[in-house]
């Protein structure tokens, strides 16, 4: 099971509901470098919400979004069975259609 861009949809909903002005993003450097800057710019233009990039790799993206240290997490790998924070992320994260 791949998480893709974990919690992006939840973050968008949160912005609408509480007038958030900044989201913190952590995760896969491949995703970050491939498409996130353009997506973040477009999202900011549309909503006024800034996305603050922390990077850190897929594991950090999965685990920090699970522990609510960041608003958006991204991964480019499968979850690791047996790690509770990764299983929690898989169970409680909306999926983004590809």
């Amino acid at each position: 099971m791949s998480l893709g861009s974990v919690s992006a949809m939840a973050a968008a909903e949160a912005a609408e509901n509480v007038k958030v002005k900044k989201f913190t993003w952590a995760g896969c450097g491949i995703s970050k470098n491939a498409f996130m800057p353009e997506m973040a710019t477009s999202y900011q233009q549309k909503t006024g919400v800034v996305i603050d990039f922390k990077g850190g790799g897929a594991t950090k993206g999965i685990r920090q979004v699970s522990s609510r240290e960041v608003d958006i997490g991204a991964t480019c790998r499968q979850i690791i069975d047996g790690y509770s924070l990764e299983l929690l992320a898989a169970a409680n994260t909306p999926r983004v259609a590809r």
Side-chain angles (χ1 to χ4, degrees), residues 22-56:
K22 181 172 98 173
F23 288 132
T24 304
W25 183 101
C28 173
I30 295 167
S31 300
K32 180 181 172 188
N33 294 329
F35 61 86
M36 287 304 300
E38 293 84 9
M39 188 204 77
T41 298
S42 295
Y43 191 77
Q44 182 178 358
Q45 289 171 348
K46 182 175 181 178
T47 66
V49 176
V50 174
I51 298 177
D52 180 25
F53 292 102
K54 298 294 182 194

Side-chain angles (χ1 to χ4, degrees), residues 48-73:
V49 176
V50 174
I51 298 177
D52 180 25
F53 292 102
K54 298 294 182 194
T59 298
K60 186 175 182 179
I62 294 169
R63 294 181 183 173
Q64 285 194 342
V65 79
S66 297
S67 63
R68 301 186 189 273
E69 294 174 57
V70 298
D71 303 298
I72 305 169

Side-chain angles (χ1 to χ4, degrees), residues 56-96:
T59 298
K60 186 175 182 179
I62 294 169
R63 294 181 183 173
Q64 285 194 342
V65 79
S66 297
S67 63
R68 301 186 189 273
E69 294 174 57
V70 298
D71 303 298
I72 305 169
T75 182
C76 52
R77 68 161 176 80
Q78 304 292 323
I79 62 170
I80 298 172
D81 290 330
Y83 285 90
S84 61
L85 285 177
E86 293 193 16
L87 296 174
L88 178 66
N92 295 310
T93 303
R95 304 298 188 266
V96 177

